[in-house]
Amino acid sequence: MPNKAFELNGTTVYPGERQTIDLQVAQLYTHTPLSIPVQVVCGKRPGPTLLVCAAIHGDEINGVEVIRRLLKLKTLNRIRGTLVAVPIVNVFGFIHRSRYLPDRRDLNRCFPGSQEGTLGGRIANLFVSNILERCTHAIDLHTAAVHRDNLPQIRVRMQHEESAEMARAFGVPVILNAELREGSLRETADKHDIPVITYEAGEALRFNEVSIALGVRGVTNVMRQLGMIPVKTGRPERKFKPAVAKGSRWVRAEIDGILRPVVQLGARVEQGETLGVIGSPFGTQDVLVTAPHHGIVVGRVNLPLVNEGEALFHIARFDKVGEAERQMEELVSEVTSNAELDPDNLPIV
Ligand SMILES: [Zn+2]
């Protein structure tokens, strides 16, 4: 039995074909039409229809590079099922190097949207009805917000069995069992019972090679688990058993001031350990920022100028915290010494 054709916006992609289709969403004030570019890789043989999308937050660009590399992999020539790749969902934000839409709305709070609502709601609605609803699985690629950095991690609702399987298959050491955020693509996918994971890695408006390489590897790991691409032959890749965090907490600034962070992303910290110091420009009135519990630093602010109440360090708790730390170190050294994940063989430094 052959694969089914995929039809989008009046264009049909037949089994064995690959096409880039523009999904028209709106127009600029200039009346220039604006569209979301979508690449559909339709395999000859049947299988899942996997959505991989990035830049729902327009300034989160690591995922755009993950998808560029993914689409160059030769293994896609033998794909089972269909890959629907959307490197830039929030085209408005991407052009303006901004997380938001022109009306300052966050597209990832506008799902599932409606035909009559705000611009964000309309784009979300179009995306759901034309793309998401026709996929069987979804991976949404994100980074931390501007001036923040995330350790590569998967966010998932572990109670959804198939989503949990995708999260484990992705193969980064840290999984956060995260509540569904209202209005997010992940929430809408979950409501449609489409298994979905979010990959969070790196910082907005920056490329980070480790985050990108782990992203490409993670997406292909999931495709392998879903039977879309063949299992690798030859030297078996080392399997990492991801640690699922028991919970996580943001440590906030007690006072306004200038932060001197003393722990790196990925560091293992003990309860009460100093994470940083907030002081005044004259060096008086230093206030220590300490860890509320033991764990791994999975998110961090990069801009040292902080206001009271601002989230500074994101600490995830684990049963086996040493194990999670060791796996992350090994994985990072493996991908940094191995350029095979960039088909152009030019890893970004
Ligand atoms: Zn995001």
Side-chain angles (χ1 to χ4, degrees), residues 57 60 142-143:
H57 293 133
E60 299 182 0
H142 285 254
T143 73

Side-chain angles (χ1 to χ4, degrees), residues 56-57 59-60 99 106 108 140-145 198 200:
I56 280 191
H57 293 133
D59 59 353
E60 299 182 0
R99 176 184 179 89
D106 181 332
N108 211 26
D140 189 17
L141 306 172
H142 285 254
T143 73
T198 300
E200 282 274 0

